[in-house]
């Protein structure tokens, strides 16, 4: 468990892997004879070419990632392919100890590239998160203490009691998939200080979803931001539940009910019922928000557009514009069984065109360096505005589509939820 909790974003660890990989390359190149050196060079070139071809197929052909990869990510992939090819060349007509070193080097090159790519995107802070393994302890829930909801906002009526914790508490929770049967990973729950006192007020709720590949681990900067806002507002913050809409980091069921999983039912029934039955929350739709980053952003927009009776606010952080699993053709074939009309019906733009939203707040954030999802966020905001939603749009200067986009979206979006939720003074509803 300690190994799985290892912080894999720390620079000394990354530098160690970089240096070890460089030394491994030098060792694998150090073979006497011009012919052997030429063979090693050809192996590296062939491996690098294979890496470039793989990127072309995955990005341009299959659109597996949903957006063009950044230059440094491509460089890591090409370097890893070249290093592995060099190691494989060292398995041919060599001594046993060189063969062992070559096999070890393959694992080292792949690990170094994976750590480098992960650090660049900055979304998986621990080894367990990168491997999709839960190392977070389960959170003990406070006693359910239902109260009548006051017509007065909490910022007027709430008084923080003595002994209230200075910070909130977070941990894993298991959400039974009673209605959907969807095999989700454990969610992560953040309870603000006001939720941890003996007589807690009914608090607002934020349901969050992360990108793909990824998991429901709550970003540390998000927890820091929630705690900072709670400290500024007498312990008040939304109860935040980060759920798993994927089931597997390498599978994307695009947040609909399909043969890949009943994700829509999971979120709108299982998750919603879990919150209502286990947490001290305000049941009014204006006190519920759904949000997400990238893949999770599209899901949030879709759920908010379909179910404004459940979610009065949408927080779309660099979200996709359509429910895509790779290319549109692949999505229609795999998710919708060839039914183009069914796919079109699930596009948030088309969902919003079919109704009006007089009391819905939609917040959109993106990065100025994000040339794919930046324009998509602008288009989604326009669609939402035309459907009657009150929209707020923000573009982070120098922000791309990595961990910086998530951090910017959280820092920008969370404070805007406070007046909507009645946690600070301000307009309680759009209009």
């Amino acid at each position: 468990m300690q190994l799985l909790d290892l912080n894999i974003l720390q620079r000394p660890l990354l530098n160690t892997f970089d240096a070890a990989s460089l030394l491994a390359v030098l060792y694998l190149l150090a073979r006497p004879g011009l012919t052997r050196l030429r063979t090693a060079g050809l192996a590296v070139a062939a491996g690098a070419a294979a890496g470039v071809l793989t990127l072309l197929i995955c990005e341009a052909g299959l659109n597996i990632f949903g957006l063009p990869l950044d230059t440094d990510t491509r460089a890591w992939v090409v370097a890893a392919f070249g290093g592995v090819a060099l190691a494989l060349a060292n398995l041919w007509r060599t001594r046993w100890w060189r063969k062992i070193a070559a096999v070890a080097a393959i694992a080292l090159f792949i690990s170094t590239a994976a750590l480098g790519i992960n650090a660049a995107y900055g979304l998986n802070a621990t080894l367990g998160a990168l491997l999709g393994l839960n190392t977070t302890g389960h959170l003990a829930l406070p006693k359910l203490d239902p109260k009548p909801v006051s017509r007065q906002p909490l910022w007027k009526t709430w008084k923080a009691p003595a002994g209230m914790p200075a910070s909130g508490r977070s941990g894993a929770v298991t959400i039974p998939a009673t209605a959907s049967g969807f095999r989700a990973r454990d969610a992560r729950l953040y309870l603000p200080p006001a939720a941890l006192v003996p007589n807690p007020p009914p608090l607002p709720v934020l349901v969050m979803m992360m990108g793909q590949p990824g998991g429901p681990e709550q970003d540390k900067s998000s927890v820091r931001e929630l705690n900072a806002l709670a400290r500024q507002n007498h312990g008040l913050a939304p109860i935040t539940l980060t759920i798993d809409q994927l089931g597997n980091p390498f599978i994307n069921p695009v947040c609909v009910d399909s043969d890949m999983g009943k994700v829509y039912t999971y979120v709108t029934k299982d998750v919603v019922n879990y919150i209502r039955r286990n947490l001290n929350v305000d049941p009014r739709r204006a006190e519920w928000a759904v949000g997400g980053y990238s893949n999770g952003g599209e899901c949030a927009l879709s759920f908010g557009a379909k179910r404004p009776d459940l979610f009065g606010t949408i927080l779309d952080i660099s979200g996709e514009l359509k429910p895509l699993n790779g290319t549109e053709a692949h999505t229609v074939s795999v998710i919708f069984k060839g039914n183009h009309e069914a796919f079109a019906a699930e596009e948030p733009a088309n969902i919003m065109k079919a109704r009006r939203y007089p009391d819905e707040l939609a917040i959109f954030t993106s990065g100025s360096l994000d040339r794919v999802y930046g324009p998509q966020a602008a288009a989604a905001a326009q669609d939402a505005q035309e459907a009657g939603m009150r929209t707020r749009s923000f573009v982070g200067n120098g922000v791309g589509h990595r961990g910086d986009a998530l951090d910017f979206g959280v820092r920008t979006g969370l404070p805007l939820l406070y007046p909507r939720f009645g946690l600070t003074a301000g307009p309680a509803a759009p209009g």
Side-chain angles (χ1 to χ4, degrees):
M1 292 296 290
Q2 288 183 342
L3 180 61
L4 292 176
D5 287 330
L6 177 68
N7 184 345
I8 56 175
L9 299 181
Q10 54 186 336
R11 180 46 55 185
L13 175 69
L14 298 173
N15 290 341
T16 299
F17 271 83
D18 293 344
S21 291
L22 179 59
L23 291 175
V25 168
L26 294 175
Y27 173 77
L28 295 175
L29 286 173
R31 298 179 64 191
L34 183 60
T35 301
R36 290 174 176 173
L37 183 60
R38 186 182 299 115
T39 300
L42 289 173
V44 172
V52 171
L53 180 60
T54 300
L55 287 171
L56 286 173
I57 293 173
C58 292
E59 286 191 76
L62 302 177
N63 192 28
I64 289 176
F65 310 109
L67 77 165
L69 298 176
D70 291 332
T71 301
D72 55 352
T73 298
R74 291 173 179 155
W76 277 117
V77 172
V78 172
F81 270 79
V84 170
L86 174 62
L88 291 175
N90 274 261
L91 296 175
W92 183 255
R93 294 181 178 178
T94 56
R95 302 280 187 174
W96 63 267
W97 57 81
R98 183 170 282 271
K99 286 182 171 62
I100 293 177
V103 171
I106 291 174
L108 176 62
F109 295 151
I110 294 173
S111 298
T112 302
L115 290 172
I117 294 171
N118 178 72
Y121 283 93
L123 295 179
N124 296 300
T126 66
L127 181 60
L130 181 63
L131 297 176
L133 301 174
N134 177 29
T135 61
T136 305
H138 275 67
L139 185 63
L141 300 181
K143 180 182 177 182
L144 199 60
D145 187 15
K147 297 182 180 66
V149 176
S150 171
R151 292 187 177 183
Q152 293 293 318
L154 277 176
W155 71 268
K156 282 188 174 182
T157 61
W158 167 251
K159 301 296 181 183
M164 183 183 70
S167 298
R169 189 183 303 158
S170 59
V173 293
T174 300
I175 301 176
T178 308
S180 67
F182 183 64
R183 300 184 66 178
R185 291 164 287 180
D186 283 347
R188 302 299 188 274
L189 177 65
Y190 168 83
L191 296 173
L196 303 175
V197 298
N199 190 32
L203 289 169
V205 179
L206 171 60
V207 177
M208 283 290 292
M209 293 162 284
M210 294 296 104
Q212 192 267 334
E217 293 79 13
Q218 286 180 324
D219 181 59
K220 288 185 177 180
S221 64
S222 300
V223 174
R224 285 197 298 269
E225 182 70 18
L226 285 164
N227 277 327
L229 289 169
R231 283 192 293 270
Q232 297 168 20
N233 293 279
H234 311 288
L236 294 173
I239 290 174
T240 302
L241 183 66
T242 307
I243 63 172
D244 176 23
Q245 81 281 10
L246 300 172
N248 183 303
F250 306 107
I251 296 176
N252 178 13
V254 303
C255 285
V256 300
D257 283 354
S258 72
D259 290 348
M260 293 185 69
K262 294 184 177 181
V263 184
Y264 173 77
T265 299
Y266 174 70
V267 175
T268 59
K269 289 189 177 180
D270 293 326
V271 171
V272 169
N273 288 338
Y274 175 85
I275 294 171
R276 288 173 172 167
R277 294 169 181 170
N278 293 277
L279 302 173
N280 295 300
V281 299
D282 191 319
R284 295 173 295 180
R285 59 169 295 279
E287 302 296 315
W288 286 54
V290 60
Y293 162 70
S294 194
N295 173 278
E298 189 279 329
C299 292
L301 182 58
S302 175
F303 293 141
K306 286 182 183 177
R307 299 300 303 272
D309 58 311
L310 292 178
F311 304 106
T313 303
I314 300 166
L315 174 58
D316 185 345
I317 302 173
S318 299
E320 300 173 351
L321 193 59
K322 297 182 179 183
L324 293 177
N325 181 325
T327 64
E328 183 171 324
H330 182 264
T331 305
V332 172
S333 174
V334 172
I335 305 291
F336 298 96
K337 304 303 179 185
N339 189 332
H340 289 268
E341 290 75 17
F343 170 76
E346 293 291 347
E347 294 183 50
N350 293 330
I351 296 170
M352 289 186 285
K353 286 177 183 177
R355 64 172 72 206
R356 299 294 296 173
Y357 301 87
D359 185 30
E360 192 84 7
L361 172 64
I363 304 165
F364 298 88
T365 70
S366 61
S368 65
L369 303 181
D370 187 351
R371 298 181 180 179
V372 175
Y373 295 128
Q376 292 190 26
Q382 182 65 33
D383 293 335
Q385 187 177 42
E386 291 176 358
M389 296 185 190
R390 178 190 176 192
T391 60
R392 302 290 303 275
S393 296
F394 303 88
V395 178
N397 186 36
V399 173
H401 193 78
R402 296 182 170 187
D404 57 350
L406 176 59
D407 291 343
F408 172 73
V410 168
R411 290 196 313 271
T412 304
L414 283 179
L416 296 178
L417 298 180
Y418 266 66
R420 171 67 163 166
F421 289 156
L423 302 182
T424 58

